[in-house]
Amino acid sequence: MYLQTFDKVEFKKDVEENVKRLYRKTTKEATQQQLFQAVSYAIKDIIIEQWLATQEKYKKEDPKTVYYMSMEFLMGRALGNNLINLTYYENVREALDEMGIDLNTIENEEPDAALGNGGLGRLAACFLDSLATLGYPAYGCGIRYTYGMFKQKIKDGYQVEAPDNWLKNGNPFEIRRDEYAKEVRFGGSIKVEQDPITGRYMYGQKDYESVLAIPYDIPVIGYGNGIVNTFRIWDAQAITEFQLDKFDKGEYHKAVEQENLAKTIVEVLYPNDNHMAGKELRLKQQYFFVSATLQEAIAKYKRDYDNPDLRKFHEKVVFQLNDTHPTVTVPELMRLLMDEEGMEWDDAWNVVSKACAYTNHTIMSEALEKWPIDLFKRLLPRVYQIVEEIDRRFVAEIRAKYPGNEEKVRKMAILYDGQVKMAHLAIAAGYSVNGVAALHTEILKKQELKDFYEMMPEKFNNKTNGITQRRFLLHGNPLLANWITEHIGDGWITDLSQMAKLKPLADDETAIREFMKIKFQNKVALAEYIRDNNGIYVDPKSIFDVQVKRLHEYKRQLLNILHVMYLYNKLKENPYMSFYPRTFIFGAKAAAGYYNAKLIIKLINSVANIINNDASINGKIKVVFIENYRVSNAEMIFAAADVSEQISTASKEASGTGNMKFMANGSVTIGTLDGANVEIVEEVRIENAFIFGLSSDEVINYENNGGYNPRDIYNSDSELKRIVDQLVDGTYDSNCELFRDLYNSLLYNDTYFVLKDFRSYVDAQHQVEIAYKNKTQWGKMALLNTASCGKFSSDRTIKEYAEEIWKLTPIEL
Ligand code: NBG
């Protein structure tokens, strides 16, 4: 068993030394930001010892390692989480108190590491936490974007994006590793030479541009087990020697180009969620971090063994492709093994096809990555040539399996219609294809990837997503975390299935009262945040009805706000109707170029503006749009929510993970039977959730066969007609045309079945109100949600990946 004690005296001394050394100040003189830095460096000193010990142990035991390849890691803040996982949070708070430093205040000085968009990136971050906590050897591999997810400001109701210069004060936890820098090449053309001795053809690249990839390592701390894994993100730099050379030859322009390439490659995260940015720079980013990661993985393998045999590489490493974004892993690993390491095709293919596994995160067609062949070929000539060969062989397999069936080739080939289809490449080459919730995996098998499933069923499997309870409960909701521990002990922190032990308390009125009192305190805290940030007063006794997630039409924030408009009309008509006060809380970033999504944000704010300022409804409805929704404020929002809005069009949300964070924090779901909602309802039972709307089968049926006309619904439901009309009659904005496009989309192109599901949503919301009025009943439902969340830990998910896909053995320190 691993044990290390916290040395308070040493720690305090270290903080003081750091302030002195870094800023020539005393702790009294230092700013809060400087204190944050000094404390973080002191914590890093503690981490370093464990980091070294872990890597030492890995070296000795020589276990298989997973490389989690991802363009996105939505890490949030590190300091608080690191303290939690070191199990030093309370010790440090106390030590700092004695020094007159407030831990919360300095935690708030840390910018979120927002190297991701939404669920996909946050999942990657939760996975790293679980991997370390379970003692699995792992690297998180990605890009050190200079600017992460943009900061959202709301001006006049509109979203305005501001750059997120998260590194401006430096990142105290990272370590730059120049010794592992790698060159990555783009463009040019293929060079072929014959080896004079072996006669073998050697392929290379000439007239290329290149950059130097430099890794930064960030520690990922396991909970209370002394394990520290590495999150490795790559920065780009111009290749100086090369540059000098160019200067000598007077090629000033070329040299500056290299500088610019390096700068632009890692400059910014593409802010698209569930949408492909078909930009050349994006493909460059992908290849950049993939190539650097693979080169270093091979170099490490060669360093680790006396007689390294790369034909056995896959016995020691596995690359998990987080969506198709890192799929160039497949041809790039082929290239490195053949061109750089001299392997033959079959041997290389044997390694690659046993070392790559792919996770699909969406069925949204606009998110599927397809690159124009010309672009791909121009940027990665040799890699493209390898893709051609992979495709040639794969198409031959298809034809062998389905003789004469060219339709199959059309549907499954990697290269088709002038495009490189990244999902097809990942599936053809990888040994595992998984979806992220049971329903999602079924839809993949029966619809989206049907042909692939029929051809190679053995590759397909499901891994339902999860979340880390360390961040989203232990850190985000300390009141509830303590209460849980008082009742069932602290085993839940690393084994969330133990939450089931809370179930008997659902019949204990005292426990329910305590539980709801904590919820209330968290609501008070959120109300203060809203007061400070939005200048809106909300009543913590009202129902906190929350939808926080990326803004996307399929997630249907529009359905939510239409319901708010509906309730407002009802209240205006009948001010004395029975009505339980409600606060509708939204938080969402829209991709900068996503017009409808941005218009929905404006609509929410316009509705908020009218309703919040209408004295005639006595504050019974409040609408709040929380600016700049991100991991750090999410933690407090989940803790304070009564109602969790999970209302995507059935079949569209692959899993959802916010739904799980709400559940763990004792919010009750109103939702469709989509993604992981299905499994949430299985766990908590349907009577403890509010389910409405079309099923995924019904949606898919309409999509395939037609038969839905939104105007029929509009014409037959006068209350609904009224709110739709209010989008364009000046009720919410004096410019009647402002929301015309939303109006039109609902009536003429209701792709996401908003009008279709409206009535059943209204009914479900009415049930929410009735349920909430019965305090004990509601408390019981809320508590049962927390008690039933055990399945949704990312620890469970990671254990399944490790045992069923990666075949990893956990290490103990
Ligand atoms: C998202 C899905 C979510 C899912 C996360 C994590 C993409 C492409 N997909 O439903 O929309 O929870 O991935 O798996 O961002």
Side-chain angles (χ1 to χ4, degrees):
M1 179 62 193
Y2 170 82
L3 274 180
Q4 198 194 12
T5 46
F6 177 71
D7 185 337
K8 184 158 67 169
V9 178
E10 184 66 23
F11 172 75
K12 287 163 77 170
K13 214 171 82 198
D14 211 7
V15 172
E16 264 162 14
E17 277 300 311
N18 286 346
V19 174
K20 194 157 95 188
R21 208 159 35 84
L22 291 167
Y23 308 109
R24 210 198 59 194
K25 281 187 180 171
T26 66
T27 52
K28 297 278 163 296
E29 296 161 338
T31 65
Q32 296 298 331
Q33 171 62 215
Q34 291 170 334
L35 292 173
F36 157 70
Q37 296 279 343
V39 169
S40 297
Y41 277 108
I43 296 302
K44 190 185 191 178
D45 286 343
I46 298 170
I47 295 170
I48 290 283
E49 296 301 327
Q50 306 191 0
W51 206 353
L52 282 168
T54 303
Q55 302 308 313
E56 196 62 30
K57 180 86 175 182
Y58 285 170
K59 205 163 178 178
K60 216 172 96 207
E61 306 229 333
D62 187 30
K64 191 175 180 188
T65 301
V66 62
Y67 287 74
Y68 197 79
M69 307 289 282
S70 182
M71 290 289 282
E72 303 189 20
F73 289 89
L74 194 42
M75 303 295 280
R77 291 173 176 159
L79 176 59
N81 203 249
N82 287 346
L83 293 177
I84 289 270
N85 282 10
L86 288 168
T87 69
Y88 291 168
Y89 197 86
E90 286 311 319
N91 304 287
V92 167
R93 181 209 292 291
E94 192 185 292
L96 292 177
D97 265 347
E98 291 171 14
M99 302 172 76
I101 300 171
D102 178 50
L103 177 55
N104 274 335
T105 311
I106 64 167
E107 273 190 63
N108 284 330
E109 284 292 319
E110 181 177 358
D112 278 42
L115 310 182
N117 272 285
L120 175 144
R122 183 55 231 177
L123 185 77
C126 284
F127 279 4
L128 295 189
D129 185 275
S130 288
L131 280 160
T133 297
L134 294 166
Y136 289 117
Y139 286 98
C141 309
I143 296 173
R144 186 173 176 271
Y145 299 106
T146 311
Y147 296 95
M149 188 58 204
F150 64 77
K151 285 190 188 156
Q152 180 193 54
K153 299 241 161 63
I154 300 297
K155 292 215 171 102
D156 193 24
Y158 290 98
Q159 165 175 300
V160 178
E161 302 89 23
D164 163 49
N165 190 0
W166 70 295
L167 291 166
K168 74 169 181 289
N169 295 310
N171 176 1
F173 289 106
E174 71 184 8
I175 302 181
R176 179 182 159 117
R177 310 297 299 267
D178 286 279
E179 66 273 37
Y180 300 139
K182 298 285 177 292
E183 186 186 354
V184 179
R185 300 173 173 179
F186 300 95
S189 52
I190 300 169
K191 173 178 82 184
V192 195
E193 279 163 11
Q194 198 171 13
D195 187 314
I197 301 160
T198 61
R200 190 175 187 268
Y201 286 101
M202 312 282 288
Y203 293 86
Q205 218 170 328
K206 61 180 183 198
D207 305 324
Y208 53 82
E209 307 180 284
S210 70
V211 296
L212 200 61
I214 300 172
Y216 283 72
D217 286 356
I218 297 169
V220 182
I221 298 154
Y223 182 84
N225 64 355
I227 296 277
V228 181
N229 281 338
T230 303
F231 170 39
R232 172 166 289 170
I233 48 182
W234 297 86
D235 187 21
Q237 232 180 43
I239 296 185
T240 332
E241 286 91 330
F242 193 69
Q243 185 189 4
L244 279 177
D245 186 47
K246 295 281 173 201
F247 271 116
D248 288 349
K249 291 189 198 142
E251 291 182 46
Y252 168 76
H253 227 83
K254 262 257 149 50
V256 175
E257 264 170 33
Q258 305 268 335
E259 289 276 356
N260 282 341
L261 176 62
K263 189 165 166 291
T264 53
I265 269 189
V266 296
E267 187 142 68
V268 63
L269 165 78
Y270 280 96
N272 300 322
D273 185 86
N274 265 291
H275 192 102
M276 183 209 179
K279 294 280 190 305
E280 178 166 345
L281 182 59
R282 170 78 173 182
L283 183 57
K284 278 189 187 163
Q285 291 184 331
Q286 298 181 345
Y287 182 69
F288 167 76
F289 98 93
V290 163
S291 178
T293 300
L294 295 178
Q295 289 183 51
E296 175 50 26
I298 291 174
K300 178 171 171 11
Y301 184 82
K302 294 192 347 192
R303 282 197 305 271
D304 284 353
Y305 301 99
D306 292 336
N307 289 311
D309 178 0
L310 277 163
R311 282 169 305 187
K312 292 184 177 164
F313 192 46
H314 56 279
E315 291 173 13
K316 290 297 174 189
V317 301
V318 49
F319 300 98
Q320 187 67 35
L321 311 181
N322 196 27
D323 217 324
T324 54
H325 317 154
T327 300
V328 280
T329 298
V330 169
E332 174 65 0
L333 187 53
M334 287 297 289
R335 186 189 71 81
L336 290 167
L337 293 177
M338 295 188 305
D339 297 357
E340 306 290 327
E341 305 297 337
M343 233 185 240
E344 296 301 326
W345 180 281
D346 289 338
D347 285 340
W349 184 253
N350 185 52
V351 170
V352 171
S353 59
K354 287 177 179 161
C356 295
Y358 157 60
T359 305
N360 174 290
H361 290 269
T362 188
I363 65 157
M364 299 289 296
S365 56
E366 61 265 40
L368 291 187
E369 286 192 303
K370 298 172 186 141
W371 294 103
I373 285 181
D374 333 334
L375 186 162
F376 197 100
K377 194 171 168 176
R378 180 164 39 78
L379 195 63
L380 308 170
R382 173 62 178 147
V383 168
Y384 177 72
Q385 196 177 46
I386 293 169
V387 173
E388 269 186 324
E389 179 61 14
I390 296 174
D391 179 63
R392 193 185 65 76
R393 291 172 184 236
F394 182 55
V395 167
E397 270 178 53
I398 300 171
R399 291 200 172 116
K401 177 127 189 169
Y402 306 102
N405 191 344
E406 283 306 295
E407 181 66 3
K408 289 277 181 191
V409 174
R410 185 184 67 79
K411 284 173 16 200
M412 296 164 79
I414 297 163
L415 301 176
Y416 209 89
D417 269 350
Q419 293 175 317
V420 188
K421 304 189 174 181
M422 301 309 269
H424 298 192
L425 177 56
I427 299 167
Y431 68 92
S432 165
V433 178
N434 76 279
V436 291
L439 175 68
H440 170 59
T441 302
E442 284 314 302
I443 294 175
L444 290 179
K445 294 201 282 196
K446 290 201 201 106
Q447 306 277 332
E448 306 302 309
L449 302 178
K450 182 163 178 278
D451 295 297
F452 291 94
Y453 176 60
E454 279 171 9
M455 185 170 162
M456 31 204 168
E458 68 290 347
K459 290 189 182 180
F460 284 72
N461 63 94
N462 175 247
K463 296 287 168 281
T464 298
N465 283 167
I467 56 146
T468 169
Q469 65 268 33
R470 267 85 59 189
R471 182 179 289 269
F472 291 104
L473 223 92
L474 190 54
H475 185 260
N477 194 346
L479 294 175
L480 185 57
N482 285 337
W483 181 84
I484 295 168
T485 297
E486 276 164 27
H487 285 282
I488 62 168
D490 64 4
W492 62 273
I493 297 171
T494 49
D495 173 11
L496 201 64
S497 71
Q498 293 189 25
M499 294 292 253
K501 292 191 207 158
L502 292 171
K503 282 184 186 169
L505 297 179
D507 296 312
D508 173 342
E509 289 206 13
T510 318
I512 292 176
R513 225 174 299 122
E514 289 167 2
F515 189 88
M516 290 314 286
K517 189 172 165 208
I518 289 167
K519 180 60 80 182
F520 183 74
Q521 287 171 282
N522 290 329
K523 287 165 76 175
V524 170
L526 182 59
E528 282 167 10
Y529 180 91
I530 290 170
R531 183 200 59 207
D532 296 345
N533 288 272
N534 294 63
I536 299 173
Y537 286 82
V538 302
D539 181 357
K541 293 207 274 311
S542 64
I543 304 173
F544 276 19
D545 181 320
V546 187
Q547 186 171 21
V548 285
K549 49 180 79 248
R550 284 300 292 259
L551 201 314
H552 207 300
E553 286 165 287
Y554 84 78
K555 295 177 188 282
R556 297 200 296 192
Q557 283 91 351
L558 185 54
L559 177 60
N560 187 341
I561 198 69
L562 287 174
H563 169 249
V564 175
M565 290 159 61
Y566 164 89
L567 287 181
Y568 179 55
N569 286 346
K570 287 253 148 190
L571 262 184
K572 292 286 283 182
E573 267 167 26
N574 188 357
Y576 301 106
M577 73 188 258
S578 150
F579 187 85
Y580 203 99
R582 245 203 248 211
T583 303
F584 292 93
I585 297 168
F586 294 83
K589 289 181 185 176
Y594 188 170
Y595 171 80
N596 269 2
K598 292 178 110 171
L599 197 52
I600 292 168
I601 291 179
K602 172 63 178 168
L603 175 64
I604 293 169
N605 284 311
S606 299
V607 172
N609 193 30
I610 296 293
I611 295 184
N612 296 344
N613 294 307
D614 182 344
S616 79
I617 60 161
N618 256 322
K620 284 182 184 160
I621 305 177
K622 285 279 169 81
V623 182
V624 177
F625 189 95
I626 293 182
E627 197 177 63
N628 203 27
Y629 174 61
R630 60 194 185 283
V631 176
S632 54
N633 61 16
E635 292 179 33
M636 87 182 297
I637 295 170
F638 294 126
D642 291 310
V643 178
S644 159
E645 296 271 354
Q646 306 303 334
I647 60 177
S648 54
T649 309
S651 80
K652 303 297 177 200
E653 190 70 273
S655 164
T657 43
N659 47 5
M660 302 167 185
K661 295 161 197 169
F662 279 109
M663 181 193 202
N665 282 279
S667 324
V668 182
T669 302
I670 180 165
T672 49
L673 283 180
D674 197 15
N677 296 351
V678 176
E679 289 158 82
I680 285 178
V681 171
E682 256 166 42
E683 295 296 309
V684 76
R685 305 225 308 272
I686 195 139
E687 62 268 29
N688 298 306
F690 299 88
I691 298 303
F692 72 95
L694 293 175
S695 69
S696 59
D697 283 342
E698 289 167 328
V699 169
I700 291 168
N701 189 44
Y702 278 124
E703 286 174 342
N704 293 341
N705 307 315
Y708 168 49
N709 184 349
R711 275 169 328 280
D712 295 343
I713 294 175
Y714 169 84
N715 289 322
S716 63
D717 184 334
S718 59
E719 289 174 327
L720 173 59
K721 181 172 186 302
R722 179 158 174 227
I723 55 173
V724 174
D725 291 344
Q726 283 173 335
L727 291 174
V728 290
D729 72 358
T731 306
Y732 293 103
D733 196 286
S734 55
N735 172 5
C736 293
E737 293 311 303
L738 186 58
F739 301 118
R740 175 72 63 184
D741 289 326
L742 296 179
Y743 171 91
N744 284 341
S745 81
L746 288 172
L747 287 187
Y748 303 103
N749 190 17
D750 188 13
T751 323
Y752 298 108
F753 301 89
V754 174
L755 298 194
K756 182 80 187 163
D757 276 349
F758 180 77
R759 263 300 143 187
S760 68
Y761 181 57
V762 169
D763 294 343
Q765 281 288 24
H766 187 59
Q767 296 306 315
V768 168
E769 173 171 337
I770 293 170
Y772 199 87
K773 283 179 177 164
N774 183 338
K775 280 264 150 324
T776 315
Q777 197 52 32
W778 184 273
K780 180 174 176 168
M781 289 173 81
L783 196 156
L784 278 174
N785 268 275
T786 298
S788 309
C789 77
K791 176 175 176 184
F792 304 105
S793 170
S794 46
D795 298 343
R796 187 265 315 145
T797 314
I798 280 300
K799 215 156 169 280
E800 290 176 6
Y801 274 93
E803 288 171 2
E804 295 161 23
I805 303 178
W806 304 332
K807 313 285 181 201
L808 302 186
T809 340
I811 297 294
E812 262 181 47
L813 224 53

